[in-house]
Amino acid sequence: MDSKKAKESMIIMTELVLPNDTNIFGNLMGGRLMYWMDIAAALSAQKHSNAPVVTASVDNISFENPIRLGNVVHIEAFVSRAFNTSMEVHLNVWGEDVLHQYKYKSNEAYYTFVALDPNGKPRVVPQLVPQTEEEKKLHEGALRRRQVRLILGGKMKPDDAAELKALFTKS
Ligand SMILES: CC(C)(COP(=O)(O)OP(=O)(O)OC[C@H]1O[C@@H](n2cnc3c(N)ncnc32)[C@H](O)[C@@H]1OP(=O)(O)O)[C@@H](O)C(=O)NCCC(=O)NCCS
């Protein structure tokens, strides 16, 4: 199976915050944003794997800045690392006040997807080759983030998380 570049999985999604997307303060609801992020990230994982995918986990998301009614939401997603059947997707989200030409960071997140075969079973995905410095940094960190997810999900023993443990034992 050929390996693929991170940029080949890039998805850019643009949405407009309408009244039905907001909370009582006139800001975009977190749940609506996470829904859009899930779609953008799933499309990115599908592009990388050329297979249908399901969301396996979502890392904690902090909302740095609210996105106002009438502002534009920009979501950028690409695969930061492919494992065996799973892929980590990195997302960056910005809000934009188009009238005042002001763009601001809203949040950043990692979603993990598993590619499925026609029987609904996990299937192997192509490896990902990072190219830029940012991609290489994300690619390296993905190993540790995966270990945290699997430990919290009860699917890995902390003792088996070599890269994570090394963080705390470095001299
Ligand atoms: C995600 C799912 C396919 C994993 O299936 P499973 O039977 O546990 O399969 P495995 O244990 O063989 O794990 C398959 C892959 O999922 C990964 N995985 C499992 N649980 C995970 C978690 N909590 N976080 C991150 N990755 C996880 C494993 O690491 C493995 O990846 P790898 O092959 O790259 O090492 C299964 O739990 C599922 O279908 N969940 C529901 C998905 C869903 O409905 N999502 C919401 C709607 S899209």
Side-chain angles (χ1 to χ4, degrees):
M1 194 179 272
D2 288 342
S3 56
K4 291 172 86 170
K5 295 173 190 147
K7 68 177 179 196
E8 291 179 73
S9 65
M10 176 66 86
I11 291 290
I12 299 174
M13 182 190 269
T14 308
E15 295 282 348
L16 174 64
V17 181
L18 294 170
N20 206 32
D21 303 320
T22 62
N23 60 23
I24 56 170
F25 303 105
N27 296 323
L28 174 62
M29 280 188 292
R32 179 79 82 215
L33 178 57
M34 288 188 281
Y35 169 74
W36 288 335
M37 289 165 73
D38 192 32
I39 293 174
L43 288 173
S44 172
Q46 283 188 12
K47 235 177 143 184
H48 179 79
S49 60
N50 298 121
V53 299
V54 288
T55 316
S57 68
V58 178
D59 291 11
N60 63 312
I61 303 177
S62 315
F63 298 104
E64 289 164 37
N65 290 301
I67 303 179
R68 299 284 303 160
L69 172 65
N71 281 191
V72 174
V73 180
H74 299 278
I75 302 174
E76 257 184 42
F78 62 86
V79 175
S80 40
R81 186 157 184 152
F83 297 100
N84 182 32
T85 64
S86 65
M87 295 151 279
E88 181 192 81
V89 177
H90 179 245
L91 296 105
N92 263 315
V93 182
W94 295 269
E96 185 181 9
D97 180 335
V98 177
L99 303 185
H100 296 96
Q101 299 175 15
Y102 170 60
K103 199 171 173 183
Y104 51 94
K105 183 86 176 276
S106 168
N107 69 294
E108 217 174 304
Y110 298 96
Y111 281 54
T112 301
F113 294 86
V114 175
L116 301 181
D117 69 15
N119 299 314
K121 300 284 176 215
R123 54 160 279 186
V124 175
V125 299
Q127 285 307 292
L128 181 122
V129 183
Q131 295 194 300
T132 66
E133 282 312 307
E134 187 205 3
E135 288 167 8
K136 285 177 187 166
K137 208 169 149 210
L138 287 168
H139 189 263
E140 195 201 330
L143 212 50
R144 293 188 291 270
R145 290 188 293 274
R146 174 178 185 269
Q147 290 169 351
V148 172
R149 278 174 213 127
L150 295 181
I151 290 169
L152 293 178
K155 299 200 165 179
M156 181 184 265
K157 291 190 197 119
D159 269 352
D160 295 335
E163 288 78 10
L164 193 60
K165 280 201 304 187
L167 267 189
F168 300 98
T169 53
K170 263 186 196 161
S171 54

